[in-house]
Amino acid sequence: DTLYVGLFAAGEVRAFDPGGALLGAVGVGAGPAQIALTRDGRTLITANRNDGSASLIDLPAMQERERLALGRSYPHGVALDGEGSVAFISYEGDVNGRGGVVAIDLPSGEIIWASEAGSYTLGIAYVPVD
């Protein structure tokens, strides 16, 4: 029963209880945009728009486990696969290149692949196939 909120200007994620009491905060990369939480509730992922990174947050410890340089302009959206082991981060792109998607293996923190999608790519969603 915890609510997590990304604070773009502060560069952090804050945790609140259902009554609105602050439970804690953790610093992440510059300009966290969207966030996603793994199904087991142990890892939160942020797309850090202003520094081209993604943060993997260990929630039980309430600390940034890893910050990954994505090598792409303006990461924005976050979606997880059905198992919660792969994060898909959309990135907006800029005048020098189109936006797209980066896939990250969460256990290892490694980038699996990246692909262009088009101009000004914002949100992303994942639908598992049965």
Side-chain angles (χ1 to χ4, degrees), residues 2-32:
T2 305
L3 173 69
Y4 297 96
V5 179
L7 283 81
F8 186 86
E12 66 182 24
V13 171
R14 292 188 182 168
F16 296 89
D17 74 13
L22 180 64
L23 300 174
V26 59
V28 296

PDB file of all heavy atoms in Angstrom, residues 2-32:
ATOM      1  N   THR A   2       1.633   1.413  -1.055  1.00  0.00           N
ATOM      2  CA  THR A   2       2.515   2.571  -1.164  1.00  0.00           C
ATOM      3  C   THR A   2       2.322   3.217  -2.525  1.00  0.00           C
ATOM      4  O   THR A   2       2.204   2.538  -3.536  1.00  0.00           O
ATOM      5  CB  THR A   2       3.994   2.148  -0.983  1.00  0.00           C
ATOM      6  OG1 THR A   2       4.123   1.451   0.258  1.00  0.00           O
ATOM      7  CG2 THR A   2       4.908   3.349  -0.977  1.00  0.00           C
ATOM      8  N   LEU A   3       2.309   4.532  -2.535  1.00  0.00           N
ATOM      9  CA  LEU A   3       2.195   5.323  -3.750  1.00  0.00           C
ATOM     10  C   LEU A   3       3.560   5.922  -4.046  1.00  0.00           C
ATOM     11  O   LEU A   3       4.189   6.509  -3.154  1.00  0.00           O
ATOM     12  CB  LEU A   3       1.166   6.436  -3.540  1.00  0.00           C
ATOM     13  CG  LEU A   3       1.017   7.478  -4.637  1.00  0.00           C
ATOM     14  CD1 LEU A   3       0.397   6.830  -5.873  1.00  0.00           C
ATOM     15  CD2 LEU A   3       0.152   8.622  -4.143  1.00  0.00           C
ATOM     16  N   TYR A   4       4.042   5.763  -5.285  1.00  0.00           N
ATOM     17  CA  TYR A   4       5.327   6.324  -5.692  1.00  0.00           C
ATOM     18  C   TYR A   4       5.080   7.434  -6.700  1.00  0.00           C
ATOM     19  O   TYR A   4       4.294   7.270  -7.634  1.00  0.00           O
ATOM     20  CB  TYR A   4       6.220   5.242  -6.300  1.00  0.00           C
ATOM     21  CG  TYR A   4       6.560   4.170  -5.295  1.00  0.00           C
ATOM     22  CD1 TYR A   4       5.831   2.988  -5.232  1.00  0.00           C
ATOM     23  CD2 TYR A   4       7.586   4.361  -4.373  1.00  0.00           C
ATOM     24  CE1 TYR A   4       6.113   2.022  -4.294  1.00  0.00           C
ATOM     25  CE2 TYR A   4       7.884   3.398  -3.429  1.00  0.00           C
ATOM     26  CZ  TYR A   4       7.141   2.230  -3.391  1.00  0.00           C
ATOM     27  OH  TYR A   4       7.428   1.280  -2.445  1.00  0.00           O
ATOM     28  N   VAL A   5       5.772   8.560  -6.502  1.00  0.00           N
ATOM     29  CA  VAL A   5       5.577   9.736  -7.337  1.00  0.00           C
ATOM     30  C   VAL A   5       6.933  10.227  -7.822  1.00  0.00           C
ATOM     31  O   VAL A   5       7.844  10.429  -7.011  1.00  0.00           O
ATOM     32  CB  VAL A   5       4.869  10.860  -6.548  1.00  0.00           C
ATOM     33  CG1 VAL A   5       4.678  12.095  -7.408  1.00  0.00           C
ATOM     34  CG2 VAL A   5       3.536  10.367  -5.999  1.00  0.00           C
ATOM     35  N   GLY A   6       7.067  10.429  -9.136  1.00  0.00           N
ATOM     36  CA  GLY A   6       8.294  10.992  -9.693  1.00  0.00           C
ATOM     37  C   GLY A   6       8.225  12.506  -9.681  1.00  0.00           C
ATOM     38  O   GLY A   6       7.228  13.080 -10.106  1.00  0.00           O
ATOM     39  N   LEU A   7       9.262  13.148  -9.198  1.00  0.00           N
ATOM     40  CA  LEU A   7       9.338  14.607  -9.147  1.00  0.00           C
ATOM     41  C   LEU A   7      10.360  15.089 -10.164  1.00  0.00           C
ATOM     42  O   LEU A   7      11.575  14.964  -9.939  1.00  0.00           O
ATOM     43  CB  LEU A   7       9.703  15.081  -7.740  1.00  0.00           C
ATOM     44  CG  LEU A   7       8.549  15.041  -6.741  1.00  0.00           C
ATOM     45  CD1 LEU A   7       8.351  13.647  -6.200  1.00  0.00           C
ATOM     46  CD2 LEU A   7       8.779  16.023  -5.629  1.00  0.00           C
ATOM     47  N   PHE A   8       9.873  15.604 -11.270  1.00  0.00           N
ATOM     48  CA  PHE A   8      10.705  16.005 -12.399  1.00  0.00           C
ATOM     49  C   PHE A   8      11.759  17.033 -11.987  1.00  0.00           C
ATOM     50  O   PHE A   8      12.950  16.842 -12.230  1.00  0.00           O
ATOM     51  CB  PHE A   8       9.814  16.560 -13.517  1.00  0.00           C
ATOM     52  CG  PHE A   8      10.542  16.874 -14.785  1.00  0.00           C
ATOM     53  CD1 PHE A   8      10.755  15.893 -15.735  1.00  0.00           C
ATOM     54  CD2 PHE A   8      11.019  18.149 -15.032  1.00  0.00           C
ATOM     55  CE1 PHE A   8      11.424  16.177 -16.914  1.00  0.00           C
ATOM     56  CE2 PHE A   8      11.687  18.441 -16.201  1.00  0.00           C
ATOM     57  CZ  PHE A   8      11.890  17.455 -17.150  1.00  0.00           C
ATOM     58  N   ALA A   9      11.345  18.131 -11.375  1.00  0.00           N
ATOM     59  CA  ALA A   9      12.275  19.213 -11.049  1.00  0.00           C
ATOM     60  C   ALA A   9      13.251  18.820  -9.935  1.00  0.00           C
ATOM     61  O   ALA A   9      14.396  19.256  -9.934  1.00  0.00           O
ATOM     62  CB  ALA A   9      11.514  20.482 -10.656  1.00  0.00           C
ATOM     63  N   ALA A  10      12.801  17.995  -8.993  1.00  0.00           N
ATOM     64  CA  ALA A  10      13.654  17.599  -7.871  1.00  0.00           C
ATOM     65  C   ALA A  10      14.592  16.452  -8.211  1.00  0.00           C
ATOM     66  O   ALA A  10      15.559  16.205  -7.497  1.00  0.00           O
ATOM     67  CB  ALA A  10      12.790  17.206  -6.673  1.00  0.00           C
ATOM     68  N   GLY A  11      14.298  15.704  -9.287  1.00  0.00           N
ATOM     69  CA  GLY A  11      15.132  14.559  -9.637  1.00  0.00           C
ATOM     70  C   GLY A  11      15.060  13.464  -8.603  1.00  0.00           C
ATOM     71  O   GLY A  11      16.087  12.885  -8.237  1.00  0.00           O
ATOM     72  N   GLU A  12      13.848  13.184  -8.142  1.00  0.00           N
ATOM     73  CA  GLU A  12      13.701  12.125  -7.152  1.00  0.00           C
ATOM     74  C   GLU A  12      12.341  11.458  -7.258  1.00  0.00           C
ATOM     75  O   GLU A  12      11.444  11.932  -7.944  1.00  0.00           O
ATOM     76  CB  GLU A  12      13.924  12.642  -5.728  1.00  0.00           C
ATOM     77  CG  GLU A  12      12.910  13.614  -5.230  1.00  0.00           C
ATOM     78  CD  GLU A  12      13.226  14.123  -3.813  1.00  0.00           C
ATOM     79  OE1 GLU A  12      14.402  14.102  -3.397  1.00  0.00           O
ATOM     80  OE2 GLU A  12      12.276  14.545  -3.141  1.00  0.00           O
ATOM     81  N   VAL A  13      12.230  10.326  -6.577  1.00  0.00           N
ATOM     82  CA  VAL A  13      10.968   9.612  -6.423  1.00  0.00           C
ATOM     83  C   VAL A  13      10.646   9.620  -4.940  1.00  0.00           C
ATOM     84  O   VAL A  13      11.516   9.338  -4.110  1.00  0.00           O
ATOM     85  CB  VAL A  13      11.071   8.158  -6.943  1.00  0.00           C
ATOM     86  CG1 VAL A  13       9.827   7.362  -6.586  1.00  0.00           C
ATOM     87  CG2 VAL A  13      11.290   8.154  -8.448  1.00  0.00           C
ATOM     88  N   ARG A  14       9.397   9.947  -4.621  1.00  0.00           N
ATOM     89  CA  ARG A  14       8.962   9.943  -3.228  1.00  0.00           C
ATOM     90  C   ARG A  14       7.914   8.863  -3.025  1.00  0.00           C
ATOM     91  O   ARG A  14       7.111   8.581  -3.908  1.00  0.00           O
ATOM     92  CB  ARG A  14       8.390  11.302  -2.829  1.00  0.00           C
ATOM     93  CG  ARG A  14       9.461  12.371  -2.787  1.00  0.00           C
ATOM     94  CD  ARG A  14       8.959  13.660  -2.222  1.00  0.00           C
ATOM     95  NE  ARG A  14      10.046  14.647  -2.276  1.00  0.00           N
ATOM     96  CZ  ARG A  14       9.865  15.922  -2.067  1.00  0.00           C
ATOM     97  NH1 ARG A  14       8.665  16.395  -1.766  1.00  0.00           N
ATOM     98  NH2 ARG A  14      10.890  16.746  -2.150  1.00  0.00           N
ATOM     99  N   ALA A  15       7.921   8.277  -1.838  1.00  0.00           N
ATOM    100  CA  ALA A  15       6.973   7.231  -1.465  1.00  0.00           C
ATOM    101  C   ALA A  15       6.018   7.791  -0.408  1.00  0.00           C
ATOM    102  O   ALA A  15       6.451   8.462   0.530  1.00  0.00           O
ATOM    103  CB  ALA A  15       7.715   6.021  -0.907  1.00  0.00           C
ATOM    104  N   PHE A  16       4.712   7.517  -0.589  1.00  0.00           N
ATOM    105  CA  PHE A  16       3.680   7.973   0.327  1.00  0.00           C
ATOM    106  C   PHE A  16       2.812   6.795   0.739  1.00  0.00           C
ATOM    107  O   PHE A  16       2.591   5.872  -0.055  1.00  0.00           O
ATOM    108  CB  PHE A  16       2.777   9.014  -0.351  1.00  0.00           C
ATOM    109  CG  PHE A  16       3.483  10.280  -0.726  1.00  0.00           C
ATOM    110  CD1 PHE A  16       4.111  10.406  -1.962  1.00  0.00           C
ATOM    111  CD2 PHE A  16       3.511  11.361   0.140  1.00  0.00           C
ATOM    112  CE1 PHE A  16       4.762  11.571  -2.322  1.00  0.00           C
ATOM    113  CE2 PHE A  16       4.159  12.533  -0.210  1.00  0.00           C
ATOM    114  CZ  PHE A  16       4.789  12.645  -1.439  1.00  0.00           C
ATOM    115  N   ASP A  17       2.265   6.853   1.945  1.00  0.00           N
ATOM    116  CA  ASP A  17       1.271   5.858   2.330  1.00  0.00           C
ATOM    117  C   ASP A  17      -0.083   6.306   1.783  1.00  0.00           C
ATOM    118  O   ASP A  17      -0.205   7.438   1.281  1.00  0.00           O
ATOM    119  CB  ASP A  17       1.268   5.613   3.846  1.00  0.00           C
ATOM    120  CG  ASP A  17       0.654   6.734   4.664  1.00  0.00           C
ATOM    121  OD1 ASP A  17      -0.016   7.638   4.117  1.00  0.00           O
ATOM    122  OD2 ASP A  17       0.840   6.703   5.893  1.00  0.00           O
ATOM    123  N   PRO A  18      -1.122   5.447   1.841  1.00  0.00           N
ATOM    124  CA  PRO A  18      -2.425   5.808   1.277  1.00  0.00           C
ATOM    125  C   PRO A  18      -3.059   7.047   1.915  1.00  0.00           C
ATOM    126  O   PRO A  18      -3.918   7.685   1.314  1.00  0.00           O
ATOM    127  CB  PRO A  18      -3.279   4.569   1.528  1.00  0.00           C
ATOM    128  CG  PRO A  18      -2.297   3.453   1.592  1.00  0.00           C
ATOM    129  CD  PRO A  18      -1.083   4.049   2.254  1.00  0.00           C
ATOM    130  N   GLY A  19      -2.624   7.411   3.106  1.00  0.00           N
ATOM    131  CA  GLY A  19      -3.145   8.607   3.760  1.00  0.00           C
ATOM    132  C   GLY A  19      -2.394   9.871   3.414  1.00  0.00           C
ATOM    133  O   GLY A  19      -2.718  10.951   3.889  1.00  0.00           O
ATOM    134  N   GLY A  20      -1.347   9.761   2.607  1.00  0.00           N
ATOM    135  CA  GLY A  20      -0.594  10.925   2.162  1.00  0.00           C
ATOM    136  C   GLY A  20       0.654  11.232   2.961  1.00  0.00           C
ATOM    137  O   GLY A  20       1.339  12.218   2.687  1.00  0.00           O
ATOM    138  N   ALA A  21       0.995  10.390   3.936  1.00  0.00           N
ATOM    139  CA  ALA A  21       2.213  10.626   4.720  1.00  0.00           C
ATOM    140  C   ALA A  21       3.445  10.208   3.921  1.00  0.00           C
ATOM    141  O   ALA A  21       3.470   9.136   3.305  1.00  0.00           O
ATOM    142  CB  ALA A  21       2.166   9.845   6.029  1.00  0.00           C
ATOM    143  N   LEU A  22       4.462  11.064   3.934  1.00  0.00           N
ATOM    144  CA  LEU A  22       5.713  10.772   3.239  1.00  0.00           C
ATOM    145  C   LEU A  22       6.448   9.645   3.955  1.00  0.00           C
ATOM    146  O   LEU A  22       6.681   9.702   5.157  1.00  0.00           O
ATOM    147  CB  LEU A  22       6.598  12.025   3.196  1.00  0.00           C
ATOM    148  CG  LEU A  22       7.948  11.884   2.505  1.00  0.00           C
ATOM    149  CD1 LEU A  22       7.772  11.585   1.019  1.00  0.00           C
ATOM    150  CD2 LEU A  22       8.765  13.160   2.693  1.00  0.00           C
ATOM    151  N   LEU A  23       6.813   8.606   3.183  1.00  0.00           N
ATOM    152  CA  LEU A  23       7.536   7.457   3.734  1.00  0.00           C
ATOM    153  C   LEU A  23       9.027   7.510   3.441  1.00  0.00           C
ATOM    154  O   LEU A  23       9.823   6.885   4.130  1.00  0.00           O
ATOM    155  CB  LEU A  23       6.961   6.153   3.174  1.00  0.00           C
ATOM    156  CG  LEU A  23       5.489   5.891   3.460  1.00  0.00           C
ATOM    157  CD1 LEU A  23       5.018   4.654   2.716  1.00  0.00           C
ATOM    158  CD2 LEU A  23       5.258   5.756   4.954  1.00  0.00           C
ATOM    159  N   GLY A  24       9.397   8.214   2.382  1.00  0.00           N
ATOM    160  CA  GLY A  24      10.803   8.281   2.012  1.00  0.00           C
ATOM    161  C   GLY A  24      10.981   8.874   0.639  1.00  0.00           C
ATOM    162  O   GLY A  24      10.019   9.125  -0.082  1.00  0.00           O
ATOM    163  N   ALA A  25      12.237   9.103   0.269  1.00  0.00           N
ATOM    164  CA  ALA A  25      12.574   9.663  -1.040  1.00  0.00           C
ATOM    165  C   ALA A  25      13.911   9.104  -1.483  1.00  0.00           C
ATOM    166  O   ALA A  25      14.748   8.753  -0.662  1.00  0.00           O
ATOM    167  CB  ALA A  25      12.641  11.187  -0.968  1.00  0.00           C
ATOM    168  N   VAL A  26      14.084   9.022  -2.793  1.00  0.00           N
ATOM    169  CA  VAL A  26      15.351   8.558  -3.353  1.00  0.00           C
ATOM    170  C   VAL A  26      15.683   9.415  -4.579  1.00  0.00           C
ATOM    171  O   VAL A  26      14.813   9.699  -5.399  1.00  0.00           O
ATOM    172  CB  VAL A  26      15.299   7.051  -3.715  1.00  0.00           C
ATOM    173  CG1 VAL A  26      14.209   6.745  -4.716  1.00  0.00           C
ATOM    174  CG2 VAL A  26      16.636   6.555  -4.225  1.00  0.00           C
ATOM    175  N   GLY A  27      16.939   9.846  -4.670  1.00  0.00           N
ATOM    176  CA  GLY A  27      17.398  10.608  -5.816  1.00  0.00           C
ATOM    177  C   GLY A  27      17.583   9.706  -7.024  1.00  0.00           C
ATOM    178  O   GLY A  27      18.030   8.569  -6.899  1.00  0.00           O
ATOM    179  N   VAL A  28      17.223  10.234  -8.197  1.00  0.00           N
ATOM    180  CA  VAL A  28      17.384   9.520  -9.464  1.00  0.00           C
ATOM    181  C   VAL A  28      18.037  10.481 -10.456  1.00  0.00           C
ATOM    182  O   VAL A  28      18.493  11.548 -10.068  1.00  0.00           O
ATOM    183  CB  VAL A  28      16.019   8.995  -9.988  1.00  0.00           C
ATOM    184  CG1 VAL A  28      15.437   7.964  -9.038  1.00  0.00           C
ATOM    185  CG2 VAL A  28      15.032  10.115 -10.223  1.00  0.00           C
ATOM    186  N   GLY A  29      18.059  10.125 -11.707  1.00  0.00           N
ATOM    187  CA  GLY A  29      18.621  10.989 -12.728  1.00  0.00           C
ATOM    188  C   GLY A  29      17.817  12.266 -12.904  1.00  0.00           C
ATOM    189  O   GLY A  29      16.740  12.427 -12.327  1.00  0.00           O
ATOM    190  N   ALA A  30      18.324  13.175 -13.718  1.00  0.00           N
ATOM    191  CA  ALA A  30      17.694  14.470 -13.918  1.00  0.00           C
ATOM    192  C   ALA A  30      16.395  14.358 -14.710  1.00  0.00           C
ATOM    193  O   ALA A  30      16.358  13.768 -15.781  1.00  0.00           O
ATOM    194  CB  ALA A  30      18.655  15.408 -14.643  1.00  0.00           C
ATOM    195  N   GLY A  31      15.331  14.909 -14.144  1.00  0.00           N
ATOM    196  CA  GLY A  31      14.059  14.986 -14.848  1.00  0.00           C
ATOM    197  C   GLY A  31      13.334  13.677 -15.022  1.00  0.00           C
ATOM    198  O   GLY A  31      12.960  13.328 -16.142  1.00  0.00           O
ATOM    199  N   PRO A  32      13.072  12.932 -13.923  1.00  0.00           N
ATOM    200  CA  PRO A  32      12.313  11.695 -14.110  1.00  0.00           C
ATOM    201  C   PRO A  32      10.943  12.004 -14.715  1.00  0.00           C
ATOM    202  O   PRO A  32      10.244  12.892 -14.226  1.00  0.00           O
ATOM    203  CB  PRO A  32      12.197  11.120 -12.694  1.00  0.00           C
ATOM    204  CG  PRO A  32      12.373  12.285 -11.783  1.00  0.00           C
ATOM    205  CD  PRO A  32      13.303  13.214 -12.503  1.00  0.00           C
TER     206      PRO A  32
END
